[in-house]
Amino acid sequence: MLVLDIETVPDTDLIPSDWPSDRFPKCAWHRIVTISFVEAELARAGGAEVYAVAECRSGGEAIPDERRLLAAFWRFFASRRFRVVTWNGRRFDMPTIFARSLMHGLDASPWLLQGDRWNGYRHRYGGDWHVDLMDAMSEHGATPALTLEEAAAALGLPGKLGEHGSKVAAMMEAGEVGRVRAYCETDTLNLAVLYIRWAFLTGRTDAVSHDRAVADMIAYLEAERAARPHLGRFLDEWRAMAGRRPPFVGAQG
C-alpha cells in the first residue's frame, strides 16, 4: 500500500499573465517539489486485511529536480503492484503527476495500463487500486467533502501541525526544502491512519488488525523520532488527543 501526497509551487512560466491571482492554478501549472508517502505491507489474516507500516519518507533529493523526482517515482511505482491511497488525488495529485510527466517526456504506463476494463487505477469506485479517500468519505460527491485537516481533527490526529499548502512556495523560496518534505510526510501520516480507520469502518479489516496497524505506526514513529523530530512531534500531538479520541477500536481502546 502506498499512501501518497505531493507538494507543489506555481509554475510561473506557464500560468497566463491574466490568470486571476485568487484562482487556483490548473494542475499542469503546478511544479512538483515533493512526493511523500507511507508504504505499508498489505496482507490478509483470515478475512481481514493487515497493514504493516514499512516507512514514511519523501522521494528525491534535498534540492528538488522535478524531472528526476518524477522519473524515480515511476521507477519505484513500476516495481510492485501498489494499492494507492490519496486525498483528493483524482482531482489534483495524480492529474498533476501525469501532466508534469507528460511535459518531461516520462512513461506513466505503470499506472495507465495495469488492470482491465473492470479493474485498474483509473476506476473511481474500486477499492483495491486507487482509493481517493476524500472522495470515498464524501460518498463520491453525495455529501460535502471534508478537508484533510478536518478529517484528521475528527479522529484526534495532529493534522498539519501549523503548516499549510499555501506556505510551500514561500518555504521553497527561503530554501526550507526539509520543512516542506516534513510537512508533506505528516500529511501522509494523517492519511494513512485515516485510511486504516476507514478500512475498519467498511469491513476491509477487523478490530484486531486495525489496532495492530495503529500500534505498528506508533512504534515506527517512536523509533524514528530521534533522527526525524517532526515524526516525534506528530506522535506527541497524537498521544495528547488520545483521551478524547482513542486511536484503538478494540480491547486496547
Side-chain angles (χ1 to χ4, degrees):
M1 187 166 72
L2 200 66
V3 182
L4 178 72
D5 188 47
I6 67 173
E7 297 301 332
T8 68
V9 297
D11 189 334
T12 55
D13 292 335
L14 293 179
I15 299 175
S17 59
D18 60 349
W19 187 259
S21 60
D22 60 345
R23 285 187 65 189
F24 194 67
K26 297 181 180 182
C27 289
W29 302 343
H30 288 260
R31 181 167 60 86
I32 299 171
V33 296
T34 302
I35 302 176
S36 300
F37 57 85
V38 171
E39 184 181 355
E41 296 296 325
L42 198 162
R44 283 194 170 273
E49 291 185 348
V50 178
Y51 317 105
V53 175
E55 63 178 333
C56 172
R57 68 178 178 91
S58 298
E61 302 169 349
I63 301 176
D65 177 313
E66 186 183 49
R67 189 185 193 284
R68 292 180 65 184
L69 177 64
L70 286 167
F73 169 75
W74 287 121
R75 284 196 302 271
F76 173 66
F77 190 79
S79 67
R80 301 177 67 179
R81 208 286 267 175
F82 291 101
R83 175 182 300 165
V84 177
V85 180
T86 62
W87 190 270
N88 200 31
R90 292 194 181 280
R91 294 185 63 187
F92 181 70
D93 299 71
M94 294 314 303
T96 302
I97 288 174
F98 293 143
R100 303 302 291 196
S101 297
L102 178 74
M103 290 166 57
H104 290 297
L106 298 173
D107 176 9
S109 60
W111 180 280
L112 299 169
L113 298 182
Q114 290 192 67
D116 53 38
R117 63 183 297 183
W118 296 281
N119 300 283
Y121 289 113
R122 304 175 80 181
H123 288 243
R124 182 179 185 185
Y125 304 106
D128 290 326
W129 293 75
H130 177 203
V131 182
D132 181 340
L133 193 57
M134 187 184 85
D135 190 42
M137 287 178 60
S138 70
E139 290 297 323
H140 308 291
T143 187
L146 295 171
T147 67
L148 180 58
E149 185 83 344
E150 291 166 344
L155 230 61
L157 289 163
K160 294 176 178 290
L161 296 174
E163 302 288 18
H164 193 273
S166 62
K167 300 179 181 179
V168 169
M171 287 190 276
M172 292 299 297
E173 287 228 357
E176 297 180 307
V177 183
R179 183 178 163 193
V180 173
R181 288 158 71 94
Y183 162 57
C184 196
E185 288 169 13
T186 57
D187 268 0
T188 65
L189 292 170
N190 285 299
L191 181 52
V193 180
L194 278 164
Y195 178 79
I196 293 165
R197 181 64 63 89
W198 181 81
F200 173 67
L201 172 78
T202 56
R204 283 187 168 271
T205 194
D206 58 19
V208 171
S209 296
H210 171 282
D211 287 358
R212 185 181 301 134
V214 170
D216 189 35
M217 175 71 82
I218 290 170
Y220 174 80
L221 296 173
E222 190 65 67
E224 291 288 309
R225 72 156 62 239
R228 303 165 71 193
H230 62 287
L231 300 188
R233 184 184 171 203
F234 184 95
L235 179 57
D236 291 342
E237 294 284 339
W238 189 10
R239 283 173 167 160
M241 294 292 291
R244 288 196 294 161
R245 290 285 189 275
F248 300 106
V249 298
Q252 296 184 68

